[in-house]
Amino acid sequence: MQPCWSAVGPVPEVAAASSAAALALPHNVPRSAGVARFALREARMLLAGWRSRGLTCASVFPALSCSRVRRLVHQARARLPLSSSQPGFSIGLHLPETLAIPAQRSLPSQRAALVLQPRGGRFPRMPLLVNGERIDLARPAGDVIHSYPHLEEKARVLRGQPAQIVGPKGLLYIQQREFAVTTPKDASVSILGSDDATTCHLVVLRHTGSGATCLTHCDGSDTQAEVSLIMNAVKSLSDDTECGRLEVHLVGGFKDDRQLSQKLTNQLLRAFDLLQDDVHLVTFCVTELNDREEKDNHFPIIYGIAVNVKTAEIFHATFPDRGPDEDLRSACILTGATMTNIYDAKTEQLHIGPFFWMPFPHVDFWLEQDDKQILQNLSTSPLAEPPHFVSHIRSTLMFLKEHPFPDLSLFPNRKPRLYKKSEDGLWERICLETM
């Protein structure tokens, strides 16, 4: 789709843009002059490294009046530090579809973007890099990685680590289709962790300047959108940082018969390669590099990892405590929820839901099935699942049976369940009445 542009303010030249170039504005950024300030900070950071290659900066915001948008554009144009020696830039209003804006009328409900981009050109696509070189994704992933022996060596070292048992103190556990991002300044959370990944992949994205670190558990449901989410989350905690780079670490998967792991590996590599920022691949321990064979069957070597937010150390880990609300969060996955951010680093609060689902179909039938049937029908890799998989699924199914309508039993006020770390480093629920 080629969106149109509606120029606001004295913009002499506006180029066509791709709708994929817009970056979601975090909910905690003010929706007025803050939009322009956010765009300007990002523009300055990008200018430092991209002056010879072009620049794109977009901040997506909900409906604003045309007069407000005009003020934002004029403010951005007046404050942007561009000199005659740098490439020319245009500032305009990017609409998601071919829509005209009547004078003095509110913008349509679709999301719009205040965009800064090079004149006369398209948005530059920033590559996924290894040692400063762009990865050739036209080649099979296995062949590509063999070109970088240091990545294979790093994967070998990671595979050779015994799994460390990580307790609940200072831990933020990430389930499938969840992500969380925080910084070294966080006084509550020092470890982000996730496990039980068979064909799934665990992704750590970190900005070396701000220390903002994100961990997510991807299953291939909507990889490109999920990568954009975690990128925006990390950048929202790094917008005041002028130095550093973005680094990504990929762990998980194995040589499964259905090749789901390989498919997810390829999806992740392409999604990061399509971003509007340089991303450096630092750890690559996925699929064939995370595979062991036993009696003609293949298994992952690493099922779980943890990342120390303070030190940036990533290590092989397992987690006895996967709370809080483990069954609730698992039920959300089983009923088809999309990727969600579960943590607010500024308030240091974990927020679960609100979730809504219809009664799970045939739940009594599934609870009556033996372990083999549950494995064969509710797992993407029955032979490779950890020993507790079936008991975990049964517990989740029972939870769904007990809560067929979560809007009545779990979220009557349509507000999330909030948790904060206690002085002992454990999660305790916050009563809304005390807030």
Side-chain angles (χ1 to χ4, degrees):
M1 176 184 68
Q2 284 294 327
C4 77
W5 284 72
S6 175
V8 284
V11 182
E13 182 178 1
V14 180
S18 167
S19 60
L23 303 176
L25 182 67
H27 294 296
N28 54 10
V29 176
R31 260 25 178 220
S32 56
V35 175
R37 287 196 296 269
F38 180 82
L40 288 167
R41 283 196 297 267
E42 184 147 324
R44 292 190 184 103
M45 181 176 69
L46 295 174
L47 273 172
W50 294 5
R51 287 174 179 168
S52 62
R53 299 162 59 187
L55 169 70
T56 176
C57 174
S59 298
V60 177
F61 51 91
L64 296 171
S65 68
C66 282
S67 59
R68 175 66 58 82
V69 172
R70 289 190 184 97
R71 287 199 298 271
L72 292 178
V73 172
H74 283 302
Q75 181 181 14
R77 296 183 78 251
R79 295 176 57 187
L80 189 66
L82 294 176
S83 68
S84 58
S85 62
Q86 296 169 345
F89 292 88
S90 302
I91 297 177
L93 181 65
H94 170 209
L95 298 179
E97 296 178 1
T98 54
L99 299 168
I101 304 177
Q104 303 303 321
R105 294 281 300 277
S106 295
L107 296 180
S109 59
Q110 289 92 335
R111 304 210 299 181
L114 183 64
V115 177
L116 175 70
Q117 74 160 55
R119 290 188 183 133
R122 300 182 64 84
F123 284 95
R125 190 180 76 182
M126 296 298 107
L128 181 64
L129 304 168
V130 176
N131 285 348
E133 300 177 356
R134 183 170 190 173
I135 297 178
D136 181 8
L137 295 182
R139 299 166 56 193
D143 294 346
V144 170
I145 298 307
H146 292 323
S147 304
Y148 304 101
H150 73 284
L151 285 180
E152 291 188 284
E153 175 62 17
K154 190 166 186 177
R156 185 191 67 78
V157 172
L158 186 60
R159 292 194 307 265
Q161 294 179 358
Q164 298 184 38
I165 299 175
V166 179
K169 186 174 182 179
L171 168 68
L172 173 51
Y173 183 82
I174 312 298
Q175 287 209 27
Q176 189 172 332
R177 294 187 200 167
E178 293 179 346
F179 73 92
V181 58
T182 190
T183 71
K185 298 177 182 178
D186 195 318
S188 300
V189 171
S190 57
I191 299 288
L192 301 175
S194 187
D195 64 357
D196 289 355
T198 52
T199 55
C200 293
H201 288 19
L202 307 175
V203 181
V204 175
L205 181 65
R206 182 175 182 271
H207 192 285
T208 61
S210 67
T213 304
C214 179
L215 173 63
T216 187
H217 188 134
C218 294
D219 61 6
S221 55
D222 193 355
T223 304
Q224 187 166 341
E226 292 165 359
V227 167
S228 295
L229 280 175
I230 67 172
M231 172 62 75
N232 292 334
V234 170
K235 290 176 68 177
S236 72
L237 295 181
S238 308
D239 57 346
D240 290 325
T241 306
E242 297 183 357
C243 60
R245 68 180 193 175
L246 291 159
E247 296 183 345
V248 66
H249 309 260
L250 306 179
V251 181
F254 68 109
K255 294 173 68 175
D256 62 284
D257 293 339
R258 298 166 63 187
Q259 296 187 333
L260 297 176
S261 300
Q262 185 63 65
K263 180 180 178 181
L264 181 53
T265 296
N266 293 337
Q267 288 177 350
L268 285 167
L269 291 175
R270 291 193 189 99
F272 278 104
D273 193 57
L274 289 171
L275 292 174
Q276 301 297 314
D277 301 86
D278 286 345
V279 180
H280 298 261
L281 180 61
V282 177
T283 303
F284 192 78
C285 186
V286 295
T287 311
E288 67 181 53
L289 294 178
N290 189 46
D291 182 81
R292 67 179 179 88
E293 187 175 356
E294 181 179 330
K295 297 180 180 178
D296 296 327
N297 293 318
H298 291 264
F299 304 86
I301 297 174
I302 297 176
Y303 285 83
I305 61 169
V307 53
N308 187 316
V309 178
K310 314 293 185 184
T311 66
E313 178 191 8
I314 296 173
F315 54 94
H316 186 187
T318 185
F319 310 89
D321 189 311
R322 297 179 173 87
D325 284 336
E326 179 181 0
D327 287 338
L328 169 57
R329 293 155 70 184
S330 298
C332 180
I333 300 165
L334 207 56
T335 54
T338 57
M339 180 72 74
T340 183
N341 183 2
I342 62 169
Y343 189 66
D344 186 335
K346 294 189 176 181
T347 62
E348 300 183 2
Q349 292 180 358
L350 176 68
H351 44 91
I352 307 299
F355 300 131
F356 307 100
W357 58 72
M358 296 300 291
F360 193 78
H362 313 299
V363 65
D364 289 322
F365 167 82
W366 287 113
L367 285 169
E368 293 171 357
Q369 301 308 301
D370 59 25
D371 292 359
K372 182 178 179 181
Q373 288 298 321
I374 289 179
L375 268 173
Q376 291 295 327
N377 291 279
L378 298 180
S379 169
T380 58
S381 50
L383 296 178
E385 294 292 354
H388 59 266
F389 174 81
V390 172
S391 62
H392 172 70
I393 291 294
R394 289 191 186 279
S395 179
T396 304
L397 290 170
M398 184 59 67
F399 186 88
L400 285 167
K401 180 179 179 179
E402 294 171 353
H403 299 280
F405 299 101
D407 53 327
L408 301 177
S409 59
L410 300 170
F411 304 100
N413 298 321
R414 295 180 175 267
K415 293 183 178 180
R417 297 160 68 94
L418 300 177
Y419 293 85
K420 196 171 180 66
K421 287 288 188 180
S422 66
E423 293 181 357
D424 297 329
L426 307 178
W427 292 113
E428 60 181 12
R429 191 170 175 191
I430 302 172
C431 295
L432 294 178
E433 290 77 9
T434 64
M435 296 181 62

